[in-house]
Structures are given as C-alpha cells and as structure tokens.
Amino acid sequence: MRLTVIGTGYLGATHAACMAEIGHEVLGLDVQTERIAALQSGRVPFYEPGLEDLLAKHVASGRLRFTTSYAEAAEFGEVHFSCVGTPQKSGEPGADLRHVDAVVDSLAPHLHHPTLLVGKSTVPVGTAERLAERLARLAPAGADAQLAWNPEFLREGFAIDDTLRPDRLVFGLGTPDSAAETLLRQVYAPLLDRGTPLVTTDFATAELVKAAANAFLATKISFINAMAEVCEASGADVTQLSRALSYDPRIGGRFLNAGLGFGGGCLPKDIRAFMARAAELGVDQALTFLHEVDAINMRRRDRMVELAREQCGGDLLGRRIAVWGAAFKPDSDDVRDSPALNVAARLQLHGADVAVYDPKAMDNARKMYPSLGYAASPTEAAQGADLVLHLTEWQEFADLDPVLLADEVAHPRMLDGRNALDPQRWRGAGWTYRALGRP
Ligand code: UDX
C-alpha cells in the first residue's frame, strides 16, 4: 500500500521505516526541512538501536522517501499516519495539541478522494472525535475523509521490535465495521497474520488504552519506589523484596526495578495530561492516586541528592562528583525529563563540581544543561571524585572494573541510583557502596 507518515520524530521515523520493512511504499512528511534532508540521506537525527540501518536500507531501495509537502502527501497516500508530538503545555499539566490539530488543518484541504487518516499520538480522550469532525468539515471529500485512532506503545531502545512485533494492536473506529477497519487490517496484515492480538473499539476507548497503559506502568514503578522508602526506614532490601514479589505471576517482575524512578518524554507528561483530562471530565478523584505516583517519583530525586550529601560528609560545596548517565534510560540519547540530569543539575546548584558522562546523550545533555561539567569517559568523570553516582544503567558502566577505578577517584564511594551494579564486586574492590532502598 502507499502510506504517508506525518511527523518524523521518534515515533514517526520508526513507524515509517517499519512500514517500509513490512512491504509498503512510504512517504514521510515533516515541516522541519533539515530533519527531512537528514532522513532522505539515510541519517536518523537521534539514537535508536538499528533504526539508521533500517531507514538507510529502505531509502536505498526506494520504498521510503521524504517530503515537506502536504499536497504531495495527500496525492500519494491511501492511508496517512499522524505521528506528531503532544508535549506538556508550558506551565500547565495538560497536553499541547497544536501539532495534532495542524496535521488535520494542513492535510484536509488536499483530500479530494476517500481516504483514511490514522492518529497514533498520545492524546486526551475526546480528541479523536473532535478531529474526525474537523477532518470531514475541512476536506473536499467530506465524510469520505475518515479518521481512526491506533495508539502506539513503543519503548525507546526497542522501538523497531515493538513496532514490528507489538504485544497488541488497537484500532479505534468512528463506526464499527467501517472501511477504516478494512484499510487498517490491510496495513497491518503481516503482523495480524502472525497472530498479533487485535482490539477493535471506539475512539474514546482507543485513546484511553494508551493513557491507562502508561498510568499503570508509572504506578508500578512508583509502587516499588514507595516500598524502597519503607525499606530505607526499616533496614530492608528493596531488590530482594522486588525479586520475591516477581515470582507471583499476578505481579510479575517487569517494571518493578526500584531506583531513581521514571522520566523521559512519555510517562511523566502522560500521567499529568491524564489527570488534567480527568478533571475536565469531572472524575478527578478517580486519578488522584496518579498525583501520589508523580510525587513518589519526584521524591526519589530528592533522596538521591540527600544521600549524595550524606556521603560527602554533610556538605556538597566544592565536592567533586562524577555522574554516570544523562539519558532518561539506557540505549537512548533522550534527555527529556531525565532523572539523571535533574540530579546532576541539583548537585551543581548545591555547589558540587559535577562531571557528567553518558555513552550517547552527551550532545543533548549539553544543549539542555550547558553549564554542567562533562567528561569524555566514565573514567575521566571519576578522576579525583569524592563520590560517583550511577544514574542511568548503561551496560558500559556495569562492565567497568571497580579495582582499576578505585585508583582514579579521591574517595571510592559509589551511589547506585539504579540498583544495577553488583554491591559485592564494588565493596570487594574497596568501595563504599550505597543504593536507593537498600541497607
Ligand atoms: C514508555 C512506555 O513503556 C511505552 O509503552 C510508551 O509508548 C512510551 O512510554 P519509554 O518512555 O521509552 O516508554 O520508557 P520505559 O522503558 O517505559 O521507561 C520509562 C522510565 O521508567 C525510564 O526512566 C526507566 O528508567 C524507568 N523505569 C522503568 C524504572 O525506573 N523502573 C523500572 O522497573 C522500569
């Protein structure tokens, strides 16, 4: 089929390359000319394992092209995917729908024939219904310009796999058994043929699935981090607690790693937007618990700074601190709402001399916090350090030799914010090892 993918950020670029991989002809559209030029030459302007190879493969084969023209996209596509961002509004918890609206406003006037626009962005419930009306009103094709909602669940670092082998597909439709469903089934035929579970539903449910999934994941992380607080107060070990819980199949072990908590471009903003929307709908009480989830998550950052101060003898002023990790999670260069960088910046505010190192996120970190100190390697960051903080669990850090590193630092003190290093190994090499939620 001939598909267009509008918005070539993280979600769109991945979706475009993966749709080409399953056999479609794809035209990617973005309003940023530099981004389009990079993608057209096979370069991905962010780090995602495997994506650059997949993109280059399909640009070379001719199955994947890019444009900045809505007229060209409208002419080309049988189905259009909208993959633009829905960031948090500045100074408000709600989602900013400017880009989502702009896609409809820009594409609709060019739609003269029956066509399908499929929204994939995370939006407040009620958005799809509003957009469907707007699309039919603005398109010359009228009601033959249909909308569907098909939320995306991909994780950064696993984006290709999550797109090509998703846990499930969700189709939100304006009317049951519509032409929209037939088209979506054709688009995803290779995935459906492999037995991928499909839920077809209405707009509101499809929108809510995404919000609910992220709320659940955030809650699971904050649950174990709340247990970490209790462990800290009682001398228990949250990693052993979490392991023991994980053997209960009703609970399961995934998203039960206690540490510095969640960040990134999705979970924090999505739970806030969800609460804001619930308040508009008059059901704010139903989601009051998400406020606690958010608060528990933010408290972990406070605790990390407090522990760092404790380890430095009660005063951060003038202390040299190495921060390992800047990305919000490993295998990503994304620093949006990164707990690691947030802690690094707070330490600097308290007068510490901070040196940050991350395998992939250095450029993005520098852009966001230009005044922080940066080092070219984890060892360089650790040189002369009074304290080393492990804040993003890259494999590279777990592979380092604590014996060799002990010679580089001023004081061999490790604070593990991700419970991902082996305490025995570090203690055996002469380090003081402390972590969140453990004695
Ligand atoms: C998330 C959802 O997983 C995905 O389905 C959705 O589409 C977008 O948001 P992502 O933001 O890529 O994906 O990251 P994810 O892997 O979910 O991790 C989120 C944050 O939680 C990270 O900061 C991570 O470090 C943290 N985390 C995760 C924990 O602190 N503990 C855990 O056990 C798991």
Side-chain angles (χ1 to χ4, degrees):
M1 296 170 83
R2 288 190 318 277
L3 313 179
T4 79
V5 176
I6 303 170
T8 57
Y10 192 77
L11 164 61
T14 307
H15 190 64
C18 289
M19 290 301 101
E21 176 70 9
I22 62 171
H24 300 297
E25 278 184 54
V26 184
L27 180 64
L29 182 150
D30 205 293
V31 290
Q32 295 183 41
T33 31
E34 295 122 67
R35 179 168 283 248
I36 286 301
L39 291 166
Q40 188 58 55
S41 64
R43 273 184 300 117
V44 177
F46 50 85
Y47 175 71
E48 175 62 33
L51 184 56
E52 196 150 90
D53 288 347
L54 194 68
L55 185 105
K57 173 179 159 192
H58 291 297
V59 168
S61 75
R63 219 188 277 165
L64 176 57
R65 293 187 299 115
F66 293 91
T67 184
T68 54
S69 159
Y70 269 100
E72 187 185 350
E75 176 67 25
F76 176 86
E78 295 164 71
V79 177
H80 306 277
F81 285 95
S82 172
C83 296
V84 292
T86 51
Q88 188 173 334
K89 276 188 203 156
S90 158
E92 281 179 59
D96 181 348
L97 298 178
R98 206 178 327 169
H99 305 301
V100 173
D101 289 347
V103 169
V104 172
D105 292 356
S106 310
L107 182 68
H110 301 286
L111 299 176
H112 295 275
H113 308 290
T115 192
L116 178 65
L117 174 62
V118 184
K120 289 192 81 67
S121 317
T122 304
V123 292
V125 59
T127 305
E129 195 178 322
R130 180 175 65 76
L131 291 179
E133 283 163 16
R134 191 165 169 145
L135 183 69
R137 185 160 35 84
L138 297 179
D144 284 340
Q146 285 201 12
L147 186 86
W149 215 260
N150 168 222
E152 181 59 64
F153 305 100
L154 62 80
R155 296 159 301 163
E156 297 190 13
F158 303 90
I160 294 175
D161 214 46
D162 284 351
T163 307
L164 292 177
R165 277 168 285 279
D167 301 327
R168 75 295 209 188
L169 288 166
V170 176
F171 298 167
L173 307 168
T175 46
D177 303 320
S178 60
E181 180 176 348
T182 311
L183 279 170
L184 277 170
R185 281 182 179 275
Q186 279 172 15
V187 170
Y188 289 114
L191 277 55
L192 292 169
D193 290 348
R194 266 207 320 263
T196 305
L198 168 65
V199 179
T200 51
T201 183
D202 50 78
F203 283 154
T205 309
E207 292 166 318
L208 275 176
V209 170
K210 176 64 192 244
N214 278 353
F216 190 89
L217 294 172
T219 303
K220 203 169 175 194
I221 299 169
S222 276
F223 172 82
I224 201 64
N225 283 333
M227 294 306 109
E229 288 188 32
V230 180
C231 286
E232 278 158 27
S234 58
D237 184 327
V238 75
T239 62
Q240 289 168 18
L241 175 81
S242 161
R243 199 168 140 238
L245 291 177
S246 74
Y247 294 120
D248 183 333
R250 294 170 302 174
I251 298 175
R254 293 178 72 189
F255 274 68
L256 213 56
N257 298 323
L260 196 50
F262 58 83
C266 291
L267 297 192
K269 80 158 172 68
D270 288 351
I271 60 168
R272 289 170 197 156
F274 198 17
M275 282 186 274
R277 185 65 185 132
E280 286 171 4
L281 292 168
V283 287
D284 35 339
Q285 266 192 332
L287 298 189
T288 312
F289 74 96
L290 286 181
H291 184 80
E292 266 323 295
V293 165
D294 205 349
I296 293 164
N297 192 51
M298 293 320 242
R299 277 208 298 276
R300 292 289 76 190
R301 303 179 188 187
D302 300 341
R303 178 70 181 137
M304 199 70 210
V305 174
E306 208 181 292
L307 263 182
R309 190 197 305 280
E310 240 173 76
Q311 291 294 299
C312 289
D315 189 6
L316 288 165
L317 196 65
R319 302 298 181 161
R320 239 191 95 61
I321 300 184
V323 169
W324 288 352
F328 83 103
K329 68 172 194 180
D331 296 315
S332 167
D333 65 354
D334 195 343
V335 298
R336 286 175 295 170
D337 200 355
S338 161
L341 270 186
N342 186 275
V343 166
R346 289 200 211 181
L347 293 170
Q348 192 191 37
L349 271 180
H350 288 291
D353 172 12
V354 177
V356 179
Y357 169 77
D358 188 282
K360 294 284 177 201
M362 296 296 271
D363 288 347
N364 289 339
R366 273 200 193 92
K367 270 182 230 152
M368 190 171 280
Y369 289 102
S371 66
L372 278 173
Y374 292 93
S377 69
T379 310
E380 188 185 306
Q383 267 157 18
D386 295 300
L387 176 65
V388 179
L389 260 57
H390 176 242
L391 302 185
T392 311
E393 68 276 34
W394 287 93
Q395 187 58 41
E396 177 176 342
F397 302 142
D399 293 342
L400 288 168
D401 183 348
V403 176
L404 295 178
L405 273 161
D407 292 336
E408 303 288 339
V409 295
H411 297 99
R413 299 182 189 126
M414 168 57 70
L415 251 185
D416 184 359
R418 292 293 176 184
N419 281 307
L421 302 176
D422 178 355
Q424 279 175 358
R425 210 170 143 239
W426 286 78
R427 287 187 179 131
W431 290 68
T432 309
Y433 174 94
R434 286 296 312 272
L436 293 170
R438 290 163 101 173

